[in-house]
Amino acid sequence: MSQLKAPPLSLPPPVGEAELLLQMKRAWGDPPVLSAWSAATSATGAHCRWPYVRCDSVGRVTSLALTSISITGPLPDAIGGLSSLTGLDLFNNSIIGAFPKALYRCTSLRYLNLSENFLAGVLPRDIGHGLAANLSRLDLSFNFFNGTIPESLSWLENLRYLALDSNGIVGVMLTSLSRLRNLGHLTLRFNYLTGAIPAELGELASLQTLWLAVNPFDPGELPASFKTLTQLISLAVESCNLVGAFPSYALEKISGISTSRAIT
C-alpha cells in the first residue's frame, strides 16, 4: 500500500521585513513620499502593497524602486536584512556617504542602480567579493567616488552592465576587466583614467557599448584588438588622447559609432 505524502510545506512570511523598511524610512527623515510606509499598515504581508515595494509570493521583499523621490541621507544598514532583494534602484536621489557595505548581505541582488546620488570616497577593495555573485547590473555613475577601480570587480563574472561614468576614478584601466565575458555595456566616461587603453578589452566578445570618452589616457592608437568586437554598436572615445587616423575597420564594422573629436 502506497503511503500518503504530506503536502509540501510553504515557507512562512519573513519576520520583520516591514520593520526593516520602516527603519529605512526613519533614517531618511520620514519623507512624505513614503507616508504610506506606516506601522499602522504593517500587518503580515501588508508591506508588499506599499508603494515602490515588490514581494514574492510569501511576502519577502524582492525589489525596491525608489527613483527620483528626493530621498536624502545614507543608505541604512537595515537594507542588508532584505535577504531576498534582487533589485534596488535609487537613481537620482540624494544618497550620501561611502559605498554601503550593508549591500553585501543582500545575497540575491542582481540589479543595483545607485547612479546620480552623492556617494563618495574610495570604492571598497573587496566590492567584487562582497556583492552578490549573480549581480548582472551595477550602475554607480554620476557620484563622487574616487580612487582606483578595485581589482575585485573582475570577480563579478555575471555582470552584463557596468557603469562608473562621471566620478573621480583615477589610475590605469584594469586589464582584468577582460574577465567579465558576459559584459555588454561598459561605461567609464568623464573620469581621470591614465595609461593605455587595454588591448584586453578586445576579448569581451559580448560588448555592445563601450564608452571611454574624456579620460586622459596616454597618447596612442585605438587597440587593434577592438577589431574583434563584432557586437559593438556604440563606441565613445572622444578626448582620450588617441593619435593617428581612426581605424577603417571600426568605421566599416561598427554601426552607430560615436567618433566625433575622437582624435585629440
Coordinates of all heavy atoms in Angstrom, one line a residue, residues 159-233:
L159 N 28.3 40.0 -14.5 CA 27.9 41.3 -14.8 C 27.7 41.5 -16.3 O 28.5 41.0 -17.2 CB 29.1 42.3 -14.4 CG 29.1 42.9 -13.0 CD1 30.2 43.9 -12.9 CD2 27.7 43.5 -12.7
R160 N 26.6 42.1 -16.7 CA 26.3 42.4 -18.1 C 26.4 43.9 -18.3 O 26.4 44.4 -19.4 CB 24.9 41.9 -18.5 CG 24.8 40.4 -18.4 CD 23.4 39.9 -18.8 NE 23.3 38.4 -18.6 CZ 23.7 37.6 -19.6 NH1 24.2 38.0 -20.7 NH2 23.6 36.3 -19.4
Y161 N 26.3 44.7 -17.2 CA 26.2 46.2 -17.3 C 27.1 46.7 -16.2 O 26.8 46.5 -15.0 CB 24.8 46.6 -17.2 CG 24.5 48.1 -17.4 CD1 23.9 48.5 -18.6 CD2 24.8 49.0 -16.5 CE1 23.6 49.8 -18.8 CE2 24.5 50.4 -16.7 CZ 23.9 50.8 -17.8 OH 23.6 52.1 -18.0
L162 N 28.1 47.5 -16.5 CA 28.9 48.2 -15.5 C 29.1 49.6 -15.9 O 29.7 49.9 -17.0 CB 30.3 47.5 -15.4 CG 31.3 48.1 -14.5 CD1 30.8 48.2 -13.0 CD2 32.6 47.4 -14.5
A163 N 28.7 50.5 -15.1 CA 28.8 52.0 -15.4 C 29.4 52.7 -14.2 O 28.9 52.6 -13.1 CB 27.4 52.6 -15.6
L164 N 30.5 53.4 -14.5 CA 31.2 54.2 -13.5 C 31.5 55.6 -14.0 O 32.3 56.3 -13.5 CB 32.6 53.5 -13.1 CG 32.5 52.1 -12.5 CD1 33.9 51.6 -12.4 CD2 31.9 52.2 -11.1
D165 N 30.7 56.0 -14.9 CA 30.9 57.4 -15.5 C 30.8 58.5 -14.5 O 30.1 58.4 -13.5 CB 29.7 57.7 -16.6 CG 29.5 56.6 -17.5 OD1 29.0 55.5 -17.1 OD2 29.8 56.8 -18.7
S166 N 31.5 59.6 -14.8 CA 31.3 60.8 -14.1 C 31.5 60.7 -12.6 O 30.6 61.0 -11.8 CB 29.9 61.5 -14.4 OG 29.8 61.8 -15.7
N167 N 32.7 60.1 -12.2 CA 33.1 60.1 -10.9 C 34.5 60.8 -10.8 O 34.8 61.6 -11.7 CB 33.2 58.7 -10.3 CG 31.8 58.1 -9.9 OD1 31.3 58.5 -8.9 ND2 31.2 57.3 -10.8
G168 N 35.3 60.4 -9.9 CA 36.7 60.9 -9.8 C 37.7 59.7 -9.9 O 38.7 59.8 -9.2
I169 N 37.4 58.7 -10.7 CA 38.2 57.5 -10.7 C 39.5 57.8 -11.4 O 39.6 58.4 -12.4 CB 37.5 56.4 -11.5 CG1 36.1 56.1 -10.9 CG2 38.3 55.1 -11.5 CD1 36.1 55.6 -9.5
V170 N 40.6 57.4 -10.7 CA 41.9 57.6 -11.2 C 42.7 56.3 -11.5 O 42.2 55.2 -11.2 CB 42.7 58.5 -10.2 CG1 42.1 59.8 -10.0 CG2 42.9 57.7 -8.9
G171 N 43.9 56.4 -12.0 CA 44.7 55.3 -12.2 C 44.5 54.6 -13.6 O 43.8 55.1 -14.4
V172 N 45.2 53.5 -13.7 CA 45.1 52.8 -15.0 C 43.8 52.0 -15.1 O 43.2 51.6 -14.1 CB 46.3 51.8 -15.2 CG1 47.6 52.7 -15.3 CG2 46.3 50.8 -14.2
M173 N 43.3 51.7 -16.3 CA 42.2 50.9 -16.5 C 42.6 49.4 -16.4 O 43.5 49.0 -17.1 CB 41.6 51.2 -17.9 CG 40.2 50.6 -18.1 SD 39.5 51.2 -19.7 CE 38.1 50.1 -19.8
L174 N 42.0 48.6 -15.6 CA 42.4 47.3 -15.3 C 42.3 46.4 -16.5 O 41.2 46.3 -17.1 CB 41.6 46.7 -14.1 CG 41.8 47.5 -12.8 CD1 40.9 46.8 -11.8 CD2 43.2 47.5 -12.3
T175 N 43.3 45.6 -16.8 CA 43.3 44.6 -17.9 C 42.4 43.5 -17.4 O 41.8 42.7 -18.2 CB 44.6 44.1 -18.2 OG1 45.3 43.5 -17.1 CG2 45.5 45.2 -18.8
S176 N 42.3 43.3 -16.1 CA 41.5 42.2 -15.6 C 40.0 42.3 -15.8 O 39.2 41.3 -15.7 CB 41.7 42.0 -14.1 OG 41.3 43.2 -13.4
L177 N 39.5 43.5 -16.3 CA 38.1 43.6 -16.6 C 37.8 42.7 -17.8 O 36.6 42.4 -18.1 CB 37.8 45.1 -17.0 CG 37.8 46.1 -15.8 CD1 37.6 47.5 -16.3 CD2 36.8 45.7 -14.8
S178 N 38.8 42.3 -18.5 CA 38.5 41.3 -19.6 C 38.0 40.0 -19.2 O 37.5 39.2 -20.0 CB 39.8 41.1 -20.5 OG 40.8 40.5 -19.7
R179 N 38.0 39.7 -17.9 CA 37.4 38.5 -17.3 C 35.9 38.6 -17.4 O 35.2 37.5 -17.2 CB 37.9 38.3 -15.9 CG 39.3 38.0 -15.7 CD 39.7 37.7 -14.3 NE 38.8 36.7 -13.7 CZ 38.9 36.3 -12.4 NH1 39.8 36.8 -11.6 NH2 38.1 35.3 -12.0
L180 N 35.3 39.7 -17.5 CA 33.9 39.9 -17.4 C 33.3 39.5 -18.8 O 32.8 40.4 -19.5 CB 33.5 41.3 -17.0 CG 34.1 41.8 -15.7 CD1 33.7 43.2 -15.4 CD2 33.5 40.9 -14.5
R181 N 33.3 38.3 -19.1 CA 33.0 37.8 -20.5 C 31.5 38.0 -20.9 O 31.2 37.9 -22.0 CB 33.4 36.4 -20.7 CG 34.9 36.2 -20.5 CD 35.7 37.0 -21.5 NE 37.1 37.0 -21.3 CZ 37.9 36.1 -22.0 NH1 37.4 35.2 -22.8 NH2 39.2 36.1 -21.7
N182 N 30.6 38.2 -19.9 CA 29.2 38.4 -20.2 C 28.9 39.9 -20.4 O 27.7 40.3 -20.7 CB 28.3 37.9 -19.1 CG 28.4 36.4 -19.0 OD1 28.2 35.7 -20.0 ND2 28.7 35.8 -17.8
L183 N 29.9 40.8 -20.2 CA 29.6 42.2 -20.2 C 29.2 42.7 -21.6 O 29.8 42.5 -22.6 CB 30.9 42.9 -19.8 CG 30.8 44.3 -19.2 CD1 30.0 44.3 -17.9 CD2 32.2 44.9 -18.9
G184 N 28.1 43.4 -21.6 CA 27.6 44.0 -22.8 C 27.6 45.5 -22.8 O 27.6 46.1 -23.9
H185 N 27.8 46.1 -21.6 CA 27.8 47.6 -21.5 C 28.9 48.0 -20.5 O 28.8 47.6 -19.3 CB 26.4 48.0 -21.1 CG 26.3 49.5 -20.9 ND1 25.6 50.3 -21.8 CD2 26.7 50.4 -19.9 CE1 25.6 51.6 -21.4 NE2 26.3 51.6 -20.3
L186 N 29.9 48.7 -21.0 CA 30.9 49.2 -20.1 C 31.1 50.7 -20.3 O 31.5 51.1 -21.4 CB 32.2 48.5 -20.3 CG 33.5 48.9 -19.6 CD1 33.3 48.8 -18.1 CD2 34.7 48.2 -20.0
T187 N 30.9 51.5 -19.3 CA 31.0 53.0 -19.5 C 31.8 53.6 -18.4 O 31.5 53.3 -17.2 CB 29.6 53.7 -19.6 OG1 28.9 53.5 -18.3 CG2 28.8 53.1 -20.7
L188 N 32.9 54.3 -18.8 CA 33.8 54.9 -17.8 C 34.1 56.3 -18.2 O 35.2 56.9 -17.8 CB 35.1 54.1 -17.8 CG 35.0 52.6 -17.3 CD1 36.2 51.8 -17.7 CD2 34.9 52.6 -15.8
R189 N 33.2 57.0 -18.8 CA 33.4 58.4 -19.3 C 33.6 59.3 -18.2 O 33.2 59.1 -17.0 CB 32.2 58.9 -20.1 CG 31.9 58.1 -21.4 CD 30.6 58.5 -22.0 NE 29.5 58.3 -21.0 CZ 28.3 58.8 -21.1 NH1 28.0 59.6 -22.2 NH2 27.4 58.6 -20.2
F190 N 34.3 60.5 -18.5 CA 34.4 61.6 -17.5 C 35.0 61.2 -16.2 O 34.5 61.4 -15.1 CB 33.1 62.3 -17.3 CG 32.4 62.8 -18.6 CD1 31.4 62.1 -19.2 CD2 32.9 64.0 -19.2 CE1 30.9 62.6 -20.4 CE2 32.3 64.4 -20.3 CZ 31.3 63.7 -21.0
N191 N 36.2 60.5 -16.3 CA 37.0 60.2 -15.1 C 38.4 60.7 -15.3 O 38.6 61.6 -16.1 CB 36.9 58.7 -14.8 CG 35.6 58.3 -14.1 OD1 35.4 58.7 -12.9 ND2 34.8 57.6 -14.8
Y192 N 39.4 60.1 -14.6 CA 40.7 60.5 -14.7 C 41.6 59.3 -15.0 O 42.7 59.2 -14.4 CB 41.2 61.3 -13.5 CG 40.3 62.5 -13.2 CD1 39.2 62.5 -12.4 CD2 40.6 63.7 -13.9 CE1 38.4 63.6 -12.2 CE2 39.8 64.9 -13.7 CZ 38.7 64.8 -12.8 OH 37.9 65.9 -12.6
L193 N 41.2 58.4 -15.8 CA 41.9 57.2 -16.1 C 43.2 57.5 -17.0 O 43.1 58.3 -17.9 CB 41.1 56.2 -16.8 CG 39.9 55.7 -16.0 CD1 38.9 54.9 -16.8 CD2 40.4 54.8 -14.8
T194 N 44.3 56.9 -16.7 CA 45.5 57.1 -17.4 C 46.1 55.8 -17.9 O 45.4 54.8 -17.8 CB 46.6 57.8 -16.4 OG1 46.7 57.0 -15.3 CG2 46.1 59.2 -16.0
G195 N 47.3 55.8 -18.4 CA 47.9 54.6 -19.0 C 47.3 54.4 -20.4 O 46.6 55.2 -21.0
A196 N 47.5 53.2 -20.9 CA 47.0 52.8 -22.2 C 45.6 52.2 -22.1 O 45.2 51.7 -21.1 CB 47.9 51.7 -22.8
I197 N 44.8 52.4 -23.1 CA 43.5 51.7 -23.2 C 43.8 50.2 -23.4 O 44.5 49.8 -24.3 CB 42.7 52.2 -24.4 CG1 42.3 53.7 -24.2 CG2 41.4 51.4 -24.6 CD1 41.6 54.3 -25.4
P198 N 43.4 49.4 -22.5 CA 43.8 48.0 -22.5 C 43.4 47.2 -23.8 O 42.2 47.2 -24.2 CB 43.1 47.4 -21.3 CG 42.8 48.5 -20.4 CD 42.5 49.6 -21.4
A199 N 44.3 46.6 -24.5 CA 44.0 45.8 -25.6 C 43.1 44.6 -25.2 O 42.4 44.1 -26.0 CB 45.3 45.3 -26.3
E200 N 43.2 44.2 -24.0 CA 42.5 43.0 -23.5 C 41.0 43.2 -23.6 O 40.2 42.2 -23.6 CB 42.9 42.7 -22.0 CG 44.3 42.1 -21.9 CD 45.4 43.1 -21.9 OE1 45.1 44.3 -22.0 OE2 46.5 42.8 -21.7
L201 N 40.5 44.5 -23.7 CA 39.1 44.7 -23.8 C 38.5 44.1 -25.1 O 37.3 43.8 -25.2 CB 38.8 46.2 -23.8 CG 39.1 46.9 -22.5 CD1 38.7 48.4 -22.7 CD2 38.3 46.3 -21.4
G202 N 39.4 43.8 -26.0 CA 39.0 43.1 -27.3 C 38.5 41.7 -27.0 O 38.0 41.1 -27.9
E203 N 38.8 41.2 -25.8 CA 38.3 39.8 -25.5 C 36.9 39.8 -25.1 O 36.3 38.7 -24.9 CB 39.2 39.2 -24.4 CG 40.7 39.1 -24.8 CD 41.6 38.7 -23.6 OE1 41.0 38.2 -22.6 OE2 42.8 39.0 -23.7
L204 N 36.2 40.9 -24.9 CA 34.9 41.0 -24.4 C 33.9 40.8 -25.6 O 33.4 41.8 -26.1 CB 34.6 42.3 -23.7 CG 35.5 42.5 -22.4 CD1 35.2 43.9 -21.8 CD2 35.1 41.4 -21.4
A205 N 33.7 39.6 -26.0 CA 33.0 39.3 -27.3 C 31.6 39.8 -27.3 O 31.0 40.0 -28.3 CB 33.1 37.8 -27.6
S206 N 31.0 39.9 -26.1 CA 29.5 40.3 -26.0 C 29.3 41.8 -25.9 O 28.2 42.3 -25.8 CB 28.9 39.7 -24.8 OG 28.9 38.2 -24.8
L207 N 30.4 42.6 -25.9 CA 30.3 44.0 -25.7 C 29.6 44.7 -26.8 O 29.9 44.6 -28.0 CB 31.7 44.6 -25.5 CG 31.9 45.9 -24.7 CD1 31.4 45.7 -23.3 CD2 33.3 46.3 -24.7
Q208 N 28.6 45.5 -26.4 CA 27.8 46.3 -27.4 C 28.0 47.8 -27.2 O 27.9 48.5 -28.2 CB 26.3 46.0 -27.2 CG 25.9 44.5 -27.6 CD 24.4 44.3 -27.4 OE1 23.7 45.0 -26.7 NE2 24.0 43.3 -28.2
T209 N 28.3 48.2 -26.0 CA 28.5 49.6 -25.7 C 29.8 49.7 -24.9 O 30.1 49.1 -23.9 CB 27.4 50.2 -24.8 OG1 26.1 50.0 -25.5 CG2 27.6 51.7 -24.5
L210 N 30.7 50.6 -25.4 CA 32.0 50.9 -24.8 C 32.2 52.4 -24.8 O 32.5 53.0 -25.9 CB 33.1 50.1 -25.4 CG 34.6 50.4 -24.9 CD1 34.6 50.0 -23.4 CD2 35.6 49.7 -25.7
W211 N 32.1 53.0 -23.7 CA 32.2 54.5 -23.6 C 33.4 54.8 -22.7 O 33.3 54.6 -21.5 CB 30.9 55.2 -23.1 CG 29.8 55.0 -24.0 CD1 29.8 54.6 -25.3 CD2 28.4 55.3 -23.7 NE1 28.5 54.6 -25.8 CE2 27.6 55.1 -24.8 CE3 27.8 55.8 -22.5 CZ2 26.2 55.3 -24.9 CZ3 26.4 56.0 -22.5 CH2 25.6 55.7 -23.7
L212 N 34.4 55.4 -23.3 CA 35.7 55.7 -22.5 C 36.0 57.2 -22.6 O 37.0 57.6 -22.2 CB 36.8 54.9 -23.1 CG 36.7 53.4 -23.1 CD1 37.9 52.8 -23.8 CD2 36.6 52.9 -21.7
A213 N 35.1 58.0 -23.2 CA 35.4 59.4 -23.6 C 35.8 60.2 -22.4 O 35.4 60.0 -21.2 CB 34.1 60.0 -24.2
V214 N 36.6 61.2 -22.7 CA 37.0 62.2 -21.7 C 37.8 61.6 -20.5 O 37.3 61.7 -19.4 CB 35.9 63.1 -21.2 CG1 36.4 64.4 -20.6 CG2 35.0 63.5 -22.4
N215 N 38.8 60.9 -20.8 CA 39.8 60.4 -19.8 C 41.2 60.7 -20.4 O 41.4 60.6 -21.6 CB 39.6 58.9 -19.7 CG 38.5 58.5 -18.7 OD1 38.7 58.7 -17.5 ND2 37.4 58.0 -19.2
P216 N 42.1 61.1 -19.5 CA 43.5 61.4 -20.0 C 44.4 60.2 -20.2 O 45.5 60.1 -19.6 CB 44.0 62.4 -18.9 CG 43.3 61.8 -17.7 CD 42.0 61.4 -18.1
F217 N 43.9 59.3 -21.0 CA 44.8 58.1 -21.3 C 46.1 58.6 -22.0 O 46.2 59.7 -22.5 CB 44.1 57.2 -22.3 CG 42.9 56.5 -21.7 CD1 41.6 56.8 -22.1 CD2 43.1 55.5 -20.7 CE1 40.5 56.1 -21.6 CE2 42.0 54.8 -20.2 CZ 40.7 55.1 -20.6
D218 N 47.1 57.7 -21.9 CA 48.4 58.0 -22.6 C 48.1 58.1 -24.1 O 47.3 57.4 -24.6 CB 49.4 57.0 -22.3 CG 49.9 57.0 -20.8 OD1 49.5 57.9 -20.1 OD2 50.6 56.0 -20.5
P219 N 48.8 59.0 -24.8 CA 48.6 59.1 -26.2 C 48.9 57.7 -26.9 O 49.9 57.0 -26.6 CB 49.7 60.1 -26.7 CG 49.9 61.0 -25.4 CD 49.7 60.0 -24.3
G220 N 48.0 57.4 -27.8 CA 48.2 56.1 -28.5 C 47.1 55.8 -29.5 O 46.1 56.6 -29.5
E221 N 47.2 54.8 -30.2 CA 46.1 54.4 -31.2 C 45.1 53.5 -30.5 O 45.3 52.9 -29.4 CB 46.7 53.7 -32.3 CG 47.7 54.5 -33.2 CD 48.2 53.7 -34.3 OE1 48.0 52.5 -34.4 OE2 48.9 54.4 -35.2
L222 N 43.9 53.5 -31.1 CA 42.9 52.6 -30.6 C 43.4 51.1 -30.8 O 44.0 50.8 -31.8 CB 41.6 52.7 -31.4 CG 40.3 52.1 -30.9 CD1 39.9 52.9 -29.7 CD2 39.2 52.1 -31.9
P223 N 43.3 50.3 -29.7 CA 43.9 49.0 -29.8 C 43.3 48.2 -31.0 O 42.1 48.2 -31.3 CB 43.4 48.3 -28.5 CG 43.2 49.4 -27.5 CD 42.7 50.6 -28.4
A224 N 44.2 47.5 -31.7 CA 43.8 46.7 -32.9 C 42.9 45.6 -32.5 O 42.1 45.1 -33.3 CB 45.1 46.2 -33.6
S225 N 43.0 45.2 -31.2 CA 42.1 44.1 -30.8 C 40.6 44.4 -30.8 O 39.8 43.5 -30.8 CB 42.5 43.7 -29.4 OG 42.3 44.7 -28.5
F226 N 40.3 45.7 -30.9 CA 38.9 46.1 -30.9 C 38.2 45.7 -32.2 O 37.0 45.6 -32.3 CB 38.8 47.6 -30.8 CG 38.9 48.2 -29.4 CD1 39.5 47.4 -28.4 CD2 38.5 49.4 -29.0 CE1 39.7 47.8 -27.1 CE2 38.6 49.9 -27.7 CZ 39.2 49.1 -26.8
K227 N 39.0 45.3 -33.2 CA 38.5 44.8 -34.4 C 37.7 43.5 -34.2 O 36.8 43.2 -35.0 CB 39.7 44.5 -35.4 CG 39.2 44.1 -36.8 CD 40.4 43.9 -37.7 CE 40.0 43.6 -39.1 NZ 41.2 43.5 -40.0
T228 N 37.9 42.8 -33.1 CA 37.2 41.5 -32.8 C 35.9 41.8 -32.1 O 35.1 40.8 -31.9 CB 38.1 40.6 -32.0 OG1 38.3 41.2 -30.7 CG2 39.4 40.3 -32.6
L229 N 35.6 43.0 -31.8 CA 34.4 43.3 -31.0 C 33.2 43.5 -32.0 O 32.7 44.5 -32.3 CB 34.5 44.6 -30.2 CG 35.6 44.6 -29.1 CD1 35.7 46.0 -28.5 CD2 35.2 43.5 -28.1
T230 N 32.8 42.4 -32.6 CA 31.8 42.4 -33.7 C 30.4 42.7 -33.2 O 29.6 43.1 -34.1 CB 31.8 41.0 -34.3 OG1 31.5 40.0 -33.4 CG2 33.1 40.7 -35.0
Q231 N 30.1 42.7 -31.9 CA 28.8 43.0 -31.4 C 28.7 44.5 -31.1 O 27.6 45.0 -30.8 CB 28.5 42.2 -30.2 CG 28.5 40.7 -30.4 CD 27.5 40.2 -31.4 OE1 26.3 40.6 -31.4 NE2 28.0 39.5 -32.4
L232 N 29.8 45.2 -31.1 CA 29.8 46.6 -30.6 C 29.0 47.5 -31.6 O 29.2 47.5 -32.8 CB 31.3 47.1 -30.6 CG 31.6 48.3 -29.8 CD1 31.3 48.1 -28.3 CD2 33.0 48.8 -29.9
I233 N 28.1 48.3 -31.0 CA 27.3 49.2 -31.7 C 27.5 50.7 -31.3 O 27.1 51.6 -32.0 CB 25.8 48.9 -31.7 CG1 25.3 48.9 -30.2 CG2 25.6 47.5 -32.3 CD1 23.8 48.6 -30.1

